[in-house]
Amino acid sequence: MKYLKTLPAFLIAASIVFISSCDSFLVEEPLDQRVESNFYETQQDAQEALVAIYDVLQWNTVVGFHVPEMLSDIASDDAYAGGASRNDAPNIIEVDKHNIRTTNGEVHGLWQKYYTGIYRANKYLQEINSLEIEQSFLDRTIAEAKFLRAYYYFDLVRFFQNVPLITEPLDNPDEYNQPQADPSDVYSQIAQDLIEAVPNLPITIPPNEQGRISKWAGQALLAKVYLYYSDVFGEDLTAGSQTVDRALAITMIDSVITQSGHDLLPNYEDNFKPDFEFSNESVFEISYSDSRPWYDWGFIQGGEGNMAPQMQGPRVNEPANEDYQRGWSFSPVTNELVDAFDPNDPRLDATVLFESELNGGLTVGYQHTGKFTQKYTTTKVYEPADGQLELNWGNNYRVIRFSDALLMGAELHLKNNNPATAENYLNRVRLRVGLSTVPATMENIKNERRVELALEGHRYWDLQRYGQQEAEQNISVQGEVKPGYQGDAPDFEVTYNTTKQGLFPIPQSEIDISNGDLQQNAGYN
């Protein structure tokens, strides 16, 4: 593949300049006299290379604007595409309509992002054992690199499914064209990486290392991978020669719930405030900040900012009179999501920003519903102190919250015929927000996952594992101008195509240069 051919040179350049990542451990000063031949010589070199792997977590703009969590919400029944007009971002509208061209730039950006992270992890794992460094540093950082490789591959295989499995850097031109692996082999590698990583990941993360991976993040991600794979493919997950079955997944998630020290915050809405970043509820979190002000629109991923708030914020007319800066109005929220909440559920106001809450009105965009995300938006409590406003939002993304772990545990125990534990886990989530207890049924767990984790990038993947019929029933909607909506009825029509199995197309440019090694996913021409 052409991208994999150019990737080594790209990595060298990125490692030399050394783009920093999180705002504590992951901040490194740029270096301008480093080349691959004199790199990987010291423990400090290894530290810098590790940061480079983490750095890709922040990338949402390799080609176009492809915030993974936002795109998956748009592909689900919780949000539309939005934007200024139907001509604003046609690639994102294609995701909403489930009519994605194989030349879609945002989709190609996702592919490039994940393979960049995978290459960096592979390079680290290849080089690190040749250094004379402290054993504790070696063990921990190898575990982190394996976790990150697993995380990148998990997103990649969920989006595209039929992808090359590459576990070492491709430095020989004869190796650049790689065939697509059987999806089970990719998932097996993900599980193996996580199984091998967990024993050497730390139990606690000190304040000056916030953003690094803990043992609990590794165990929670493994449980999430198991649930997805076992539901979609109907079988247990392998991890090399080891089997990851439901019993092991339960052991992993129960350990997170009972031994990690993580817990629910008393107030649900605090999860999305700056004072509660890396809180006790956050099991795995991606850090963003405005600590290194950024201005370069041509290389947005060189900064530390999160593009999701800018993209999803409302286009307020009078920012000075609002609690929000002017956003771009992507990912407007559907009435279906609002209707999924109990009328007494305080999570609704913490999740959805209603147009009626604004003081000076807003500019109506495409697929306007009058509702926006409240969780990752242009709220002024996150307003950047310096740099280009749009490029420096510091809203951290909470990848796995403790409530997600509880609901995964509830589901696993229910499927394992242990309804008492399932009910306990489920109702801990509900009682936190003052709702009454309910029996542990699969339908109740599904409903709770939707409202508890709404607009955090989980809903689409849940629908995929619930089955293609359920995905079609929920995602497909007839064009209808519902209360609060503005626009023509066809703007709000979505037709989900089960032939595509919820997958995005393999980028056509990758197929064209693969010499026949890559085949397009079903349902795409």
Side-chain angles (χ1 to χ4, degrees):
M1 291 178 286
K2 183 177 180 182
Y3 178 64
L4 293 179
K5 290 179 182 178
T6 60
L7 187 52
F10 175 74
L11 172 64
I12 293 169
S15 296
I16 293 169
V17 177
F18 213 80
I19 308 162
S20 62
S21 187
C22 299
D23 42 338
S24 51
F25 151 73
L26 297 179
V27 172
E28 298 282 352
E29 291 300 318
L31 304 173
D32 59 5
Q33 300 298 322
R34 312 300 292 279
V35 294
E36 195 169 66
S37 61
N38 66 15
F39 203 70
Y40 283 104
E41 294 181 349
T42 67
Q43 186 165 307
Q44 179 61 31
D45 291 344
Q47 180 88 344
E48 293 165 4
L50 179 67
V51 175
I53 310 171
Y54 272 97
D55 186 65
V56 180
L57 291 171
Q58 293 181 331
W59 290 12
N60 297 319
T61 56
V62 179
V63 179
F65 297 93
H66 47 78
V67 180
E69 303 78 38
M70 185 190 77
L71 287 184
S72 61
D73 281 335
I74 287 170
S76 80
D77 53 346
D78 283 355
Y80 288 106
S85 70
R86 61 170 52 89
N87 299 316
D88 185 12
N91 289 337
I92 296 177
I93 294 172
E94 289 176 11
V95 172
D96 172 46
K97 298 290 190 179
H98 289 271
N99 187 25
I100 307 172
R101 292 171 300 126
T102 60
T103 55
N104 185 296
E106 267 72 8
V107 169
H108 196 192
L110 286 174
W111 179 279
Q112 291 185 330
K113 166 184 173 168
Y114 294 125
Y115 273 117
T116 300
I118 290 163
Y119 175 86
R120 292 183 176 192
N122 288 342
K123 188 67 174 177
Y124 188 88
L125 293 168
Q126 179 190 66
E127 299 289 345
I128 189 64
N129 284 305
S130 65
L131 304 186
E132 295 184 6
I133 55 179
E134 299 171 4
Q135 189 64 42
S136 60
F137 177 92
L138 182 69
D139 292 343
R140 180 182 181 183
T141 59
I142 287 176
E144 288 174 287
K146 287 184 176 180
F147 174 97
L148 291 167
R149 181 169 66 181
Y151 179 77
Y152 294 139
Y153 260 124
F154 186 40
D155 264 7
L156 183 74
V157 75
R158 286 190 297 179
F159 274 116
F160 300 102
Q161 186 160 292
N162 301 296
V163 301
L165 176 59
I166 303 166
T167 57
E168 56 185 36
L170 305 180
D171 296 323
N172 186 334
D174 294 337
E175 302 172 329
Y176 291 158
N177 287 325
Q178 294 287 320
Q180 289 155 304
D182 188 290
S184 64
D185 292 335
V186 181
Y187 281 99
S188 179
Q189 183 64 52
I190 293 168
Q192 182 175 341
D193 276 347
L194 293 172
I195 289 283
E196 292 175 355
V198 163
N200 291 319
L201 290 169
I203 293 174
T204 59
I205 304 295
N208 66 331
E209 294 183 355
Q210 288 179 338
R212 297 184 77 170
I213 304 303
S214 72
K215 168 185 177 178
W216 315 114
Q219 292 186 174
L221 183 59
L222 181 59
K224 185 174 286 286
V225 173
Y226 170 80
L227 275 170
Y228 190 83
Y229 183 82
S230 62
D231 282 349
V232 171
F233 295 94
E235 60 187 24
D236 285 335
L237 181 64
T238 63
S241 60
Q242 181 176 353
T243 298
V244 179
D245 57 12
R246 186 183 299 144
L248 180 57
I250 287 174
T251 298
M252 289 287 176
I253 206 66
D254 278 355
S255 177
V256 175
I257 292 169
T258 63
Q259 300 177 32
S260 70
H262 286 290
D263 204 349
L264 299 173
L265 293 176
N267 297 314
Y268 176 83
E269 64 181 8
D270 286 344
N271 278 293
F272 311 100
K273 296 178 179 179
D275 289 344
F276 293 88
E277 291 183 339
F278 301 111
S279 74
N280 203 32
E281 186 162 341
S282 184
V283 179
F284 175 34
E285 185 165 327
I286 298 174
S287 181
Y288 295 90
S289 81
D290 61 350
S291 62
R292 189 160 67 103
W294 199 252
Y295 298 88
D296 189 352
W297 283 96
F299 186 54
I300 296 173
Q301 64 265 34
E304 307 296 325
N306 185 354
M307 286 304 301
Q310 182 61 42
M311 297 191 74
Q312 297 180 142
R315 294 176 181 265
V316 294
N317 291 332
E318 302 174 13
N321 297 324
E322 306 287 359
D323 293 329
Y324 305 87
Q325 283 289 357
R326 184 176 174 88
W328 295 345
S329 69
F330 285 97
S331 195
V333 176
T334 65
N335 279 20
E336 286 81 1
L337 174 58
V338 173
D339 291 342
F341 284 87
D342 184 292
N344 298 317
D345 193 336
R347 291 175 295 190
L348 176 59
D349 286 338
T351 300
V352 179
L353 169 63
F354 293 87
E355 180 180 5
S356 59
E357 298 178 58
L358 302 174
N359 299 317
L362 49 70
T363 299
V364 171
Y366 178 60
Q367 294 175 312
H368 179 77
T369 66
K371 294 167 282 291
F372 306 90
T373 178
Q374 184 74 276
K375 292 180 175 178
Y376 297 104
T377 188
T378 52
T379 173
K380 287 183 178 177
V381 297
Y382 268 113
E383 185 173 353
D386 201 355
Q388 185 72 37
L389 173 69
E390 296 88 344
L391 307 184
N392 289 277
W393 290 99
N395 314 49
N396 284 6
Y397 171 55
R398 285 72 166 173
V399 184
I400 301 176
R401 292 192 289 111
F402 187 71
S403 60
D404 190 3
L406 285 169
L407 293 173
M408 286 192 284
E411 184 173 341
L412 286 165
H413 277 285
L414 181 66
K415 291 177 177 177
N416 209 46
N417 297 317
N418 189 1
T421 301
E423 188 168 316
N424 175 36
Y425 288 171
L426 169 62
N427 286 312
R428 283 179 66 179
V429 176
R430 291 179 58 81
L431 290 170
R432 190 257 297 264
V433 293
L435 296 179
S436 61
T437 60
V438 295
T441 65
M442 197 61 219
E443 192 63 26
N444 283 340
I445 292 171
K446 287 178 180 180
N447 292 339
E448 203 63 33
R449 286 191 63 83
R450 185 178 190 184
V451 296
E452 170 69 24
L453 305 173
L455 306 179
E456 298 177 47
H458 299 283
R459 173 65 173 173
Y460 186 65
W461 307 121
D462 281 345
L463 287 174
Q464 293 308 307
R465 65 187 184 88
Y466 299 156
Q468 288 302 294
Q469 181 178 0
E470 189 158 346
E472 181 182 27
Q473 288 175 348
N474 284 277
I475 295 173
S476 291
V477 292
Q478 297 297 316
E480 182 180 349
V481 181
K482 299 175 182 178
Y485 288 20
Q486 294 188 42
D488 298 328
D491 293 340
F492 302 101
E493 183 171 332
V494 177
T495 302
Y496 182 85
N497 185 349
T498 58
T499 303
K500 299 175 181 178
Q501 297 183 302
L503 303 176
F504 286 15
I506 306 298
Q508 188 62 44
S509 58
E510 300 291 341
I511 292 176
D512 292 343
I513 58 179
S514 72
N515 295 328
D517 284 321
L518 298 183
Q519 302 298 315
Q520 187 54 264
N521 285 332
Y524 293 96
N525 296 325

